[in-house]
Amino acid sequence: MSSSESGAFAVPADLNALAPHIWPAGAARSTATGVVSVRGHDVRELARDFHTPAYVLDEVEFRDRIGQWKSAFAQATDGNADVYYAGKAFLCSAVVRWLDDEGINLDVCTAGELAVALRAGFEPHRILMHGNNKSTSELRQAVMAGVGLVVVDSFEEIARLAHIAGESDVVQSVLVRVTVGVEAHTHEFIATAHEDQKFGFSLSGGQALEAVRRIHKLPALELAGLHSHIGSQIFSTDGFEVAAHRLAEFLVQVRDVCGVELPLLDLGGGLGIAYTETDEPQAPQLIAQQLTAIVSAECARSGLAMPRILVEPGRAIAGPTTMTLYEVGTIKTVELDDGLSRTYVSVDGGMSDNIRPSLYDADYTCSLVSRSSTADPMLVRVVGKHCETGDVVVKQAWLPADLAPGDLLAVAATGAYGRSMASNYNHVPRPPVVAVSEDSARLIVRRETVEDILALDVD
Ligand SMILES: *Cc1c(COP(=O)(O)O)cnc(C)c1O
């Protein structure tokens, strides 16, 4: 669009700059050539070797982030915490090995995610499985594999899991998923009396207490604690404070009714990252200190011993590590009613490799990466190649006015819920994930082929 609307979206001081809190830590633009590289790998070479679109993942940053979350919680709690990476953000064998190397645990929610972890040799006791409708087969696979914790989500599941564990002579440790009546999203959170959503047992209606009572009576299940997950892309700990308050009250009820103090308190994930200039995520150290202080204050007030804190960051580990590399295909400008115009830049991917703009109206930041430019800024909308008007990659972005077909464009912060939510819409093969470090640029997930897609078509 142009001037009248651009007030809401300021022209950046330098179109060639890559804001460090948005772009992968290893991404840098060469002052000599203007070309962006990640950990020293020139994007033009990455595009030549792996083709576009491609997810380019900074392995060094991924490992760093795992380490930061681990040490932040270890320090804040004196070692009384476990970090579980939420595999649904992005999971493959390489990621599983990095988790293992750096020493954190893994949260899965389906048999598929469990299979990736087990095939990569991850110790099952460090895996937690959640989900609101795990099938009998998924529960059986989890129990047989020796998964450390199963988060139970419904009365049916309590009965199913007890039956499966009993049959296998296993005592399965479980957490009870409780809905605490807090909904957090980005900068806001809403505290409500009851939760109108599909997950877990509500605290308010007495469901959660009934669930705890039932589990407590079942010899095949060992009640280890509570699990709560209040939302996603959260920037402040206010929502967690209300959640912790309600959880602590409930822990007191459990103690009074069942005579046990539960040792584990899982606060879930949902910690935010920067997609655009206006997002300001907090450092893991600060979040760990705040969450620990909140739980500790609530427990002290209720006369409870401090439980072991579990957290499940997904996006905050995977998201910032990755950018998607696209090639610009077509550029067109349309005149709008009131003398305004809009420039559409079409790239060779779209909603099949990043559904978040169309699904959640999510904002992203992009940059011309195959060269720098001194041209004036133009306000554009980056769109994909799919047969859908809503196939938007970046709703509004400032790009240099000399942008041309063949240029490489990168979209930042696509590491979480990008590849993991990718689809084959329009029979477009899903892009590869290329992990880069100083030593190498290598495929960790290969590109899907048309043959892969045709192989599913069996009649
Ligand atoms: C989605 C999810 C997470 C991870 O959320 P992020 O926003 O990626 O941190 C953690 N725990 C549960 C139960 C989830 O459903």
Side-chain angles (χ1 to χ4, degrees), residues 84 86 88-89 107 128 130 177 199 227-229 231-233 266 268-271 312-316 416-417:
Y84 285 76
K88 71 183 201 221
D107 164 19
L128 165 159
H130 79 275
R177 170 96 181 233
F199 290 106
H227 178 283
S228 141
H229 174 71
S232 66
Q233 185 60 357
D266 188 334
L271 303 150
E312 305 170 344
R315 186 192 316 268
Y417 308 106

Side-chain angles (χ1 to χ4, degrees), residues 55 57 62 85-91 233 271-273 275 313-324 353-357 360 362 364 412-422:
Y55 303 98
L57 181 155
F62 206 114
Y85 170 68
K88 71 183 201 221
F90 172 60
L91 195 65
Q233 185 60 357
L271 303 150
I273 63 162
Y275 288 101
R315 186 192 316 268
I317 290 175
T321 65
T322 302
M323 63 185 210
T324 310
D353 59 73
N354 190 359
I355 191 68
R356 294 188 67 259
Y360 307 123
Y364 282 88
T414 54
Y417 308 106
R419 182 59 180 76
S420 76
M421 291 180 105

Side-chain angles (χ1 to χ4, degrees), residues 98-134:
W98 300 338
L99 299 173
D100 202 17
D101 288 349
E102 309 298 326
I104 68 167
N105 299 343
L106 174 64
D107 164 19
V108 300
C109 60
T110 61
E113 291 177 0
L114 178 62
V116 173
L118 295 177
R119 196 186 63 170
F122 203 72
E123 292 170 300
H125 72 92
R126 290 166 56 199
I127 300 175
L128 165 159
M129 184 188 261
H130 79 275
N132 71 300
N133 187 20
K134 304 182 261 322

Side-chain angles (χ1 to χ4, degrees), residues 100-373:
D100 202 17
D101 288 349
E102 309 298 326
I104 68 167
N105 299 343
L106 174 64
D107 164 19
V108 300
C109 60
T110 61
E113 291 177 0
L114 178 62
V116 173
L118 295 177
R119 196 186 63 170
F122 203 72
E123 292 170 300
H125 72 92
R126 290 166 56 199
I127 300 175
L128 165 159
M129 184 188 261
H130 79 275
N132 71 300
N133 187 20
K134 304 182 261 322
S135 69
T136 304
S137 157
E138 283 174 318
L139 290 171
R140 186 168 284 121
Q141 289 176 55
V143 169
M144 299 305 281
V147 156
L149 289 166
V150 174
V151 181
V152 291
D153 211 286
S154 65
F155 290 116
E156 289 90 340
E157 192 173 85
I158 292 173
R160 280 178 203 146
L161 187 63
H163 178 74
I164 290 165
E167 265 180 354
S168 327
D169 251 335
V170 167
V171 177
Q172 178 64 53
S173 286
V174 300
L175 302 178
V176 174
R177 170 96 181 233
V178 293
T179 49
V180 291
V182 172
E183 207 181 303
H185 186 70
T186 307
H187 297 280
E188 293 163 38
F189 81 93
I190 314 162
T192 57
H194 79 291
E195 275 278 341
D196 185 8
Q197 51 121 313
K198 69 175 184 174
F199 290 106
F201 299 95
S202 85
L203 277 185
S204 49
Q207 276 189 355
L209 194 60
E210 177 57 20
V212 163
R213 270 210 196 93
R214 287 195 200 174
I215 294 165
H216 194 55
K217 281 192 219 137
L218 290 164
L221 302 183
E222 156 101 29
L223 180 60
L226 305 181
H227 178 283
S228 141
H229 174 71
I230 60 173
S232 66
Q233 185 60 357
I234 303 166
F235 286 106
S236 90
T237 50
D238 300 356
F240 288 100
E241 190 152 1
V242 176
H245 176 69
R246 292 182 177 170
L247 288 166
E249 281 179 346
F250 183 61
L251 284 172
V252 170
Q253 261 188 308
V254 172
R255 182 186 60 194
D256 295 348
V257 172
C258 301
V260 286
E261 279 198 33
L262 300 181
L264 304 182
L265 188 61
D266 188 334
L267 298 172
L271 303 150
I273 63 162
Y275 288 101
T276 66
E277 287 285 348
T278 52
D279 294 329
E280 284 170 8
Q282 291 173 343
Q285 285 74 6
L286 194 62
I287 292 168
Q289 282 161 11
Q290 288 175 348
L291 290 184
T292 308
I294 290 167
V295 173
S296 150
E298 287 299 337
C299 288
R301 196 159 71 165
S302 312
L304 293 162
M306 182 72 179
R308 190 170 183 84
I309 296 180
L310 276 49
V311 284
E312 305 170 344
R315 186 192 316 268
I317 290 175
T321 65
T322 302
M323 63 185 210
T324 310
L325 199 55
Y326 298 103
E327 186 178 298
V328 174
T330 66
I331 300 173
K332 79 159 186 181
T333 301
V334 294
E335 301 305 325
L336 305 178
D337 282 348
D338 32 13
L340 299 177
S341 63
R342 193 198 304 280
T343 298
Y344 283 91
V345 173
S346 296
V347 295
D348 52 355
M351 64 194 295
S352 57
D353 59 73
N354 190 359
I355 191 68
R356 294 188 67 259
S358 18
L359 191 58
Y360 307 123
D361 205 27
D363 290 319
Y364 282 88
T365 300
C366 64
S367 185
L368 167 61
V369 289
S370 47
R371 61 186 175 91
S372 58
S373 169

